[in-house]
Amino acid sequence: RRYAAVGVLVLLLRLDPCVDVSFAKLPSLAGLDDIRDTLHKAVGEGKRPPEDIVLSTILQAAGQRLTLNKQQQFYEKLTGNGRDGGQRWRLVYTANRNAVVAARTQRPPPSVFDRGWYVDGIVSAVQLFEDSATRRINQNGVFGLLGIGGFFFGYFARFKWPLPEKRTCMAFQPISNDLHAFGQQWSWPFGGIPKGPEGDDQFERARMQDFNIFNFLYVDEHVAVAQGASGGVALWGAADPNWEP
């Protein structure tokens, strides 16, 4: 039976990398208002919830993400409702896979480092998602580290989110590295990644499983939560148009 269960799990992941394969169910599910209130406080400027409460709330959202997506329209919120310039998101909180598994199974984590952390006091990391009339692009990178700013290092990527009204999974493909420092800008392509319309067409026709994946667990006008392929989770806060990293 154990081998059969593992076989089913592997098959599900091959068919759909965004399928919910968590067999450890939470004892109860919080309502939308409770989820939203905790996550909004976590990205706010006032007193923040403890890190373990934030992780627990993220798992609550994960268990209801399909229903929450229908209510909140994750894709539209994430990309700024189609406006030029899209929506920028500043990284606030992360928890690695070990922390997520420990919280789901209600067991002690392997080490004291396997927990949730507020990281915006350490690193200024920002993502941009835009799906406007002129372009569809993701920018992801770091603008500051340990209080030292004045630079940007990151990448631009293609992304796609098939059937966003039904699914919560996005695939992305980095196409260029970018470095801004000392008043200069440098950009160089990712090796082996085709550029231009030909690359765009190949990306759209390829399987989701062939790319990096974000599974979005909750998005509204103020917060975005996603789980990466590693199993860790991240929480971003919406950046005001006038906000500077």
Side-chain angles (χ1 to χ4, degrees):
R1 292 182 180 179
R2 179 183 303 174
Y3 294 121
V6 172
V8 171
L9 173 59
V10 172
L11 177 61
L12 286 172
L13 286 172
R14 286 182 176 177
L15 292 174
D16 185 352
C18 303
V19 71
D20 185 358
V21 295
S22 171
F23 300 121
K25 300 302 182 182
L26 296 172
S28 62
L29 294 176
L32 172 59
D33 290 343
D34 292 332
I35 291 172
R36 183 165 47 200
D37 183 62
T38 299
L39 297 180
H40 285 192
K41 288 180 179 177
V43 303
E45 297 181 355
K47 184 178 180 180
R48 289 175 161 178
E51 288 92 340
D52 61 328
I53 297 299
V54 177
L55 181 54
S56 175
T57 301
I58 289 174
L59 297 183
Q60 293 281 348
Q64 306 174 71
R65 67 183 186 280
L66 296 179
T67 299
L68 296 174
N69 180 34
K70 293 178 181 179
Q71 298 173 352
Q72 298 294 323
Q73 298 181 327
F74 290 178
Y75 184 81
E76 299 300 324
K77 301 296 193 305
L78 185 74
T79 57
N81 295 297
R83 67 173 176 266
D84 288 341
Q87 176 63 55
R88 287 196 301 171
W89 300 90
R90 53 186 179 82
L91 181 64
V92 174
Y93 173 98
T94 65
N96 66 17
R97 179 184 182 278
N98 288 341
V100 172
V101 172
R104 273 196 180 277
T105 58
Q106 299 182 356
R107 296 176 179 175
S111 79
V112 296
F113 300 104
D114 294 320
R115 45 162 286 189
W117 299 89
Y118 286 109
V119 298
D120 52 338
I122 302 172
V123 60
S124 294
V126 179
Q127 292 219 52
L128 166 74
F129 289 98
E130 180 179 352
D131 187 359
S132 64
T134 57
R135 66 175 187 170
R136 186 186 341 143
I137 199 75
N138 164 234
Q139 181 190 34
N140 187 5
V142 174
F143 287 88
L145 182 65
L146 299 175
I148 301 173
F151 69 91
F152 169 79
F153 180 69
Y155 61 77
F156 283 92
R158 302 179 175 102
F159 72 91
K160 62 180 178 180
W161 188 328
L163 299 173
E165 69 280 2
K166 296 180 179 180
R167 304 181 72 193
T168 60
C169 198
M170 183 195 76
F172 62 97
Q173 181 187 53
I175 54 179
S176 70
N177 296 284
D178 289 87
L179 173 63
H180 304 175
F182 310 112
Q184 302 293 318
Q185 299 184 16
W186 297 270
S187 179
W188 61 99
F190 270 76
I193 303 299
K195 299 176 63 176
E198 178 183 357
D200 294 340
D201 182 62
Q202 290 182 16
F203 176 70
E204 292 299 329
R205 288 188 288 107
R207 304 178 309 164
M208 296 281 284
Q209 294 93 320
D210 295 336
F211 303 106
N212 297 310
I213 295 292
F214 272 142
N215 196 3
F216 282 88
L217 310 179
Y218 182 76
V219 187
D220 65 20
E221 294 87 349
H222 302 287
V223 299
V225 183
Q227 184 170 35
S230 68
V233 296
L235 167 65
W236 295 268
D240 185 272
N242 298 321
W243 179 80
E244 293 294 336

